[in-house]
Amino acid sequence: MDVLERTRALLAEHDPAGTDRLDFLRARFDAGLAWVHFPPGLGGLGAPRSEQAVVDAELAAARAPDNDPRRIGIGLGMAAPTILRYGTEEQKQRFLRPLWTGEEVWCQLFSEPGAGSDLAALGTRAVRDGDGWVVDGQKVWTSIAHAARWAILIARTDPDLPKHRGISYFVCDMTDPGVEVRPLRQLTGEAEFNEVFLTGVRIPDTHRIGAVGEGWQVAQTTLNNERVAIGGQATPREGGLIGVVADTWRARPELRTHELHQRLLKGWLDAEVIRQTGERLRQQLTSGQPGPEGAAMKLAFARLAQELSGLEVELLGEEGLGYDDWTMTRPEVVDFTGREAGYRYLRAKGNSIEGGSSEILRNVIAERVLGLPAEPRTDKDLPWKELPR
């Protein structure tokens, strides 16, 4: 039975019109139609990744419910591929199904006040205690931590080793009494980001992903997938922000100028190049895990989002300066196209920071894609405990 036949069988057995949303999503996962390239029993069929589009199109035509991917993007795009590659069978069985259905939201505890661009310098400690670990430290810029059930966490387990080698990777229970989540209000007025304080948080060793001390290697899988998830999403032509700006241009001829027209044309071409490049990148993923090439997609996405949001504000003139609501909220999704131009302009400023700053991504591209000489790093072989802080 091919994927189309399996999808039609799912719809015949679980009519979306009369089936509870969560029940349908669970049935879809169990049928191997969640992510068809995953192994059987884990929401997939071991089929080519390209066949997911067949499943998605058939389900969309039947008005079947989806799993609200914007809300659970960290779980889908970062935690799931990491667990699949490095997790034990027990971890895969425990976490992947409720992750995909959206029953359990995930966040990412990586960045720290003193370890953002230089992530490997992180200082959050995990100390072995019997059959588990005790974690103390602080994380920052954590999206959706206020709604998360679980977190992917990297912490230092051996301060005597160089900074890249003394890190381990864990799954952290965000309901542990030692986890405190505080909102970080942004330029937009929202607080989608958080700072997270970890005080005596206990993590069982069964929630360690990968071997002790190999957390940096595991984290590279997470980071590479994160960049693809942010910059390489599938979109139709004129999808996303370029579509919003183009629609305004067509509907408001009185706003047009020659200079703005030239910028719109350049933005449209850049958006199409990024879209087509993203499609090629997704096709390459059928043969393995994403590599550093995803950094280029994320870098290009951030630049274009800032250029287009700025163009939209200038195109609208005084109208572009309006802002509907500055009340502090704690959203669970970022809605770029559902708000006004002023919001998009401010929120896009974060695109060049989140998911790896543009400056760091340029280093990744230079060293790991183009093969240029690496910058001198005098601290690479020093024990972490001897690094100046």
Side-chain angles (χ1 to χ4, degrees), residues 79-95:
T82 306
I83 293 170
L84 179 65
R85 185 169 185 181
Y86 290 101
T88 64
E89 287 304 313
E90 291 77 12
Q91 290 166 345
K92 295 171 188 177
Q93 293 292 337
R94 166 59 185 88
F95 293 123

Side-chain angles (χ1 to χ4, degrees), residues 82 86-88 91 168-170 205 207-215 218:
T82 306
Y86 290 101
T88 64
Q91 290 166 345
S168 299
Y169 195 113
F170 301 93
D205 193 53
H207 284 186
R208 172 174 45 82
I209 306 291
V212 174
E214 294 185 3
V218 180

Side-chain angles (χ1 to χ4, degrees), residues 236-256 260-272 304-305 307-316 337 341 344:
R237 178 170 291 176
E238 285 201 9
L241 191 50
I242 185 59
V244 175
V245 181
D247 287 346
T248 301
W249 178 270
R250 295 185 181 106
R252 303 286 300 276
E254 75 278 7
L255 301 176
R256 301 173 186 170
L260 292 175
H261 189 210
Q262 296 304 305
R263 289 168 59 186
L264 177 61
L265 290 175
K266 179 181 180 300
W268 194 96
L269 289 172
D270 287 349
E272 186 62 13
L304 183 64
E307 289 179 358
L308 289 176
S309 61
L311 172 61
E312 183 185 21
V313 168
E314 291 189 50
L315 175 63
L316 290 170
T337 57
R344 284 188 282 274

Side-chain angles (χ1 to χ4, degrees), residues 356-376:
S357 69
S358 293
E359 292 77 12
I360 292 299
L361 294 183
R362 289 187 177 95
N363 279 351
V364 171
I365 295 167
E367 296 176 13
R368 299 174 58 192
V369 179
L370 301 179
L372 298 178
E375 291 187 353

Side-chain angles (χ1 to χ4, degrees), residues 3 6 31-33 35-49 51 286:
V3 295
R6 288 178 180 272
L33 300 173
W35 30 42
V36 297
H37 59 289
F38 272 43
L42 298 175
L45 300 169
R49 187 188 292 256
E51 294 192 14
T286 61

